[in-house]
Amino acid sequence: MDPIVTTEYGRVRGRMEGAVAVFRGIPYAAPPVGPHRFRPPAAPAPWDGVREAAVFGPTAPKNPYAPPLDQLLPDPEVAGDGCLNLNVWTPDPGAAGLPVMVWIHGGSLRYGSSAVETYDGAAFARDGVVLVSVNYRLGIEGFGMFPDAPANLGLRDQLAALAWVRRNVAAFGGDPDLVTVFGESAGAFSIAGMLASPYSAGLLRRAVLQSGVPSAVTPAKARRTTRRVAARLGVPATAAAFAAVDRARLLRAQGEAVGGSPLGGGAAFDLVVDGDVLPEDPARALSEGRAGDVELLLGTNTEEYRLWFVPGGTIDRITPLTLRLALIRFGVRGRTAAVYRANRPGASPGEILGALATDLLLRMPLVRLADARRAAPAATYFYEFGWPSPVGGLGACHGLEIGFVFDTLRVPATVRLTGPDAPERLADAMHRAWVDFAAKGDPGWPAWDGSRPVMTYGSAEPAVVRAPRDDERRAWERRGR
């Protein structure tokens, strides 16, 4: 018999899929249309009877990934206005006190949804976790900066979903005091924003940041991105003017005005220091002790850059001159680059630039955060994912670890990145570490201290390495970064 659970807004009927109960498309906020468009998330309307929760709910309005990434990163689109919905996998709705994990998807705050096949929560539920995955507003509707609308609407959506979890997850067998929020890329830096926000108080106990760093921009910089889209549309840069534009036209203008890779730059959507949901820059707030009572698991992939540099052939177009100009642009000293070259004999200029960019933008900020939290009351753990995908030279690229964390290596969406023969033993180990962290606050290796222990997941068996590539870390520190 399919399970029925009572939430604060009404009853929902899920489906039994094997031994796991799954509830999809549950609204946690009202559809962000009409009077709710460009406004903070509002409570959904209660319903009578039993609402069917068998299929994924609508996804946020978005453009598809551009080629060739569209072949590597499936991004389902589900039509409808009610995109502020979530999904729940549970081993037993009648249980009590189970650890809860809430997944915030990535996608540069422009792409992605909870309906991506790789994010199936069945393995977490199989292992005793209540897994919740969330949709939130994307692009200009979630992260535009307007004079007549609040900032950080997509982040507010995520916080509203966490508040829903707090109030309702016990009905699915979960413990509202044992919530771990985890996410990758834009999902990870969204979580860093949550940790720095006063609105997250009491909503989470632990957090996992996969390949994403604490980051936010000034209102002035965020307004520049919004004005670029407004210029494409030929309308004022106000929420009222944007709300009057046909959504398909709005997405076209957004796609024309905002682009580039996270490593290559270009206009982008970001969290904003708005004095409200984000009173200060998350990097500074977390380094100075904010969320010091929240246990953190942090990490990156060894070759993050390959997802952006390899599929379109960028890596082969980077010449020695391109590399030198990039080093000047990013303020990287020649002595720092020399350490990277010495550690990678035979590497091409593109590979050297990619390794430097990966560490400058991702690994080093997380190492500095871990160092800053050494005296925090809650522990910090660090990992590095280094298993190289055989698909198209992707190596240990950005996003590759997600299928291992979810233990979904055999689903077609994951296979696009990993190939068909990714090692299940590595997924077993990584998935188990995430489950143990959520349940006990300990993923199974030493917490960060002066020796900088890192759990490495590569071609060999998982192993702890103390201060890996520390000469490269010291090279960055000597330049004051």
Side-chain angles (χ1 to χ4, degrees), residues 222-283:
R223 277 193 288 270
R224 286 197 291 272
T225 297
T226 301
R227 287 169 181 160
R228 287 173 63 97
V229 180
R232 291 280 182 174
L233 292 169
V235 302
T238 65
F242 274 56
V245 174
D246 173 76
R247 184 166 268 154
R249 183 175 166 227
L250 181 58
L251 286 172
R252 282 196 302 272
Q254 175 183 299
E256 294 165 355
V258 181
S261 78
L263 297 185
F269 293 109
D270 299 278
L271 303 186
V272 184
V273 179
D274 63 356
D276 179 23
V277 70
L278 268 185
E280 60 180 319
D281 179 73

Side-chain angles (χ1 to χ4, degrees), residues 270-356:
D270 299 278
L271 303 186
V272 184
V273 179
D274 63 356
D276 179 23
V277 70
L278 268 185
E280 60 180 319
D281 179 73
R284 182 173 64 250
L286 298 186
S287 293
E288 293 178 353
R290 179 83 185 179
D293 58 344
V294 176
E295 289 134 339
L296 292 189
L297 174 57
L298 314 171
T300 60
N301 296 356
T302 305
E303 300 173 303
E304 302 272 5
Y305 71 93
R306 286 186 173 272
L307 182 65
W308 300 289
F309 280 20
V310 171
T314 299
I315 194 167
D316 298 320
R317 294 192 293 272
I318 296 171
T319 66
L321 176 59
T322 308
L323 173 58
R324 286 197 296 273
L325 293 174
L327 297 182
I328 294 170
R329 175 187 174 191
F330 289 111
V332 178
R333 294 173 61 185
R335 280 178 287 180
T336 301
V339 173
Y340 279 71
R341 287 192 187 95
N343 288 348
R344 296 164 180 80
S348 70
E351 289 169 330
I352 296 297
L353 178 58
L356 286 160

Side-chain angles (χ1 to χ4, degrees), residues 451-476:
S451 69
R452 298 187 173 91
V454 176
M455 174 58 80
T456 58
Y457 295 99
S459 297
E461 289 299 312
V464 173
V465 177
R466 304 279 174 172
R469 302 193 304 285
D470 206 43
D471 57 340
E472 295 176 359
R473 180 193 64 81
R474 291 194 302 270
W476 291 108

Side-chain angles (χ1 to χ4, degrees), residues 63-158:
N63 289 310
Y65 283 105
L69 287 184
D70 61 335
Q71 298 303 307
L72 296 170
L73 304 174
D75 195 7
E77 183 173 351
V78 181
D81 291 330
C83 66
L84 301 185
N85 60 73
L86 51 77
N87 318 294
V88 182
W89 285 259
T90 176
D92 182 4
L98 297 174
V100 180
M101 299 186 72
V102 180
W103 172 249
I104 309 296
H105 71 80
S108 301
L109 301 179
R110 288 180 283 155
Y111 310 107
S113 77
S114 64
V116 174
E117 196 178 21
T118 299
Y119 309 156
D120 187 283
F124 280 106
R126 174 200 68 200
D127 293 330
V129 171
V130 177
L131 190 286
V132 182
S133 61
V134 175
N135 284 340
Y136 55 94
R137 279 173 282 186
L138 302 170
I140 198 73
E141 298 205 35
F143 298 95
M145 186 70 187
F146 301 101
D148 54 342
N152 295 309
L153 289 174
L155 181 61
R156 294 171 191 267
D157 294 342
Q158 296 164 6

